[in-house]
Amino acid sequence: MQEYMWEAIIQCDRLYDGKFYYGLTTTKIFCRPSCKSRTPKRENTKIFSSVSEANTAGFRPCKRCKPEKLYAPDSEIVHNVKLFIHHHFNEPITLHKIAEEIHISPYHLHRTFKKIVGTTTSDYLLQKRMKVAKELLKTTDKSITEIAFKVGYHNTSHFSTVFSNKVGMNPSTFRKQYSIVTLLGDEDE
Ligand SMILES: [Zn+2]
């Protein structure tokens, strides 16, 4: 093992992620350099240049740092991003947060997503939020504030502005035009 590799392992240096991997001969588990698990004993540490090399040597990927995810195929990255956004669109989401969640660098994530999907992750997130908002406006009688909150906006007027820009009319106008619960409401009165 070269000195810089050992340094990277002790420092949990993300810069070396993907450049090499290290395995623990005691557990037969391998990690990326940035793994935050306990610093290994140097004599038990073995270096691999790739995931497949580690696999071939009979090492399993660490569950914590998921070294096998680093350079996952593009389609898998896109799938994981979409899945994450699908489950978390009502939370404050940043590119960095998604990247951390699916264990790749923000740069790689941004480039891959844009290349495959044609939009940025933030555009995709916005589309998802607006789609859900429209659905709720159409099919429920929840207040605009409630809907804004449900799609990740804690400020109703901010939500309305974004909605207007994206959809071309404000949420109340949209609701008046497209709501399918209006009739029901009228009958109740
Ligand atoms: Zn690890």
Side-chain angles (χ1 to χ4, degrees):
M1 183 196 312
Q2 298 185 38
E3 207 47 48
Y4 80 88
M5 292 177 165
W6 182 240
E7 276 303 305
I9 295 169
I10 324 178
Q11 311 273 332
C12 305
D13 194 339
R14 289 197 76 153
L15 281 180
Y16 290 92
D17 280 2
K19 304 228 162 63
F20 71 91
Y21 305 84
Y22 72 94
L24 283 186
T25 51
T26 44
T27 56
K28 287 268 179 177
I29 285 173
F30 73 100
C31 288
R32 21 184 199 154
S34 73
C35 186
K36 294 278 193 313
S37 58
R38 205 152 48 91
T39 307
K41 285 203 175 114
R42 189 165 175 166
E43 64 266 31
N44 296 335
T45 308
K46 193 170 160 35
I47 299 295
F48 301 107
S49 59
S50 67
V51 170
S52 59
E53 195 185 311
N55 283 331
T56 310
F59 284 71
R60 282 176 302 115
C62 165
K63 288 217 166 64
R64 183 153 179 198
C65 66
K66 301 190 168 79
E68 80 282 13
K69 296 268 184 201
L70 254 184
Y71 292 103
D74 290 353
S75 58
E76 194 187 318
I77 292 175
V78 167
H79 174 77
N80 287 338
V81 173
K82 287 184 172 174
L83 201 66
F84 183 79
I85 289 178
H86 185 75
H87 289 295
H88 300 271
F89 65 86
N90 60 343
E91 298 165 17
I93 299 183
T94 61
L95 180 66
H96 278 77
K97 185 161 164 79
I98 305 173
E100 201 176 290
E101 203 62 39
I102 66 170
H103 303 285
I104 65 172
S105 78
Y107 175 74
H108 186 53
L109 164 60
H110 176 74
R111 253 184 30 161
T112 307
F113 197 85
K114 188 88 199 280
K115 187 176 77 188
I116 306 283
V117 183
T119 58
T120 62
T121 47
S122 53
D123 277 341
Y124 183 83
L125 172 64
L126 185 61
Q127 282 168 22
K128 172 76 188 171
R129 285 175 166 168
M130 291 307 120
K131 191 171 167 227
V132 175
K134 285 201 265 187
E135 209 47 45
L136 290 172
L137 286 165
K138 267 198 262 187
T139 60
T140 72
D141 57 2
K142 291 184 196 310
S143 72
I144 309 274
T145 304
E146 223 176 326
I147 292 173
F149 191 81
K150 273 197 175 299
V151 297
Y153 295 90
H154 291 206
N155 178 323
T156 310
S157 69
H158 180 214
F159 165 72
S160 295
T161 308
V162 174
F163 190 93
S164 302
N165 287 339
K166 202 72 192 167
V167 182
M169 61 184 88
N170 66 39
S172 345
T173 312
F174 180 89
R175 171 168 264 167
K176 273 190 207 110
Q177 274 194 27
Y178 296 102
S179 175
I180 56 170
V181 292
T182 320
L183 264 177
L184 254 164
D186 286 350
E187 276 170 2
D188 282 348
E189 278 163 25

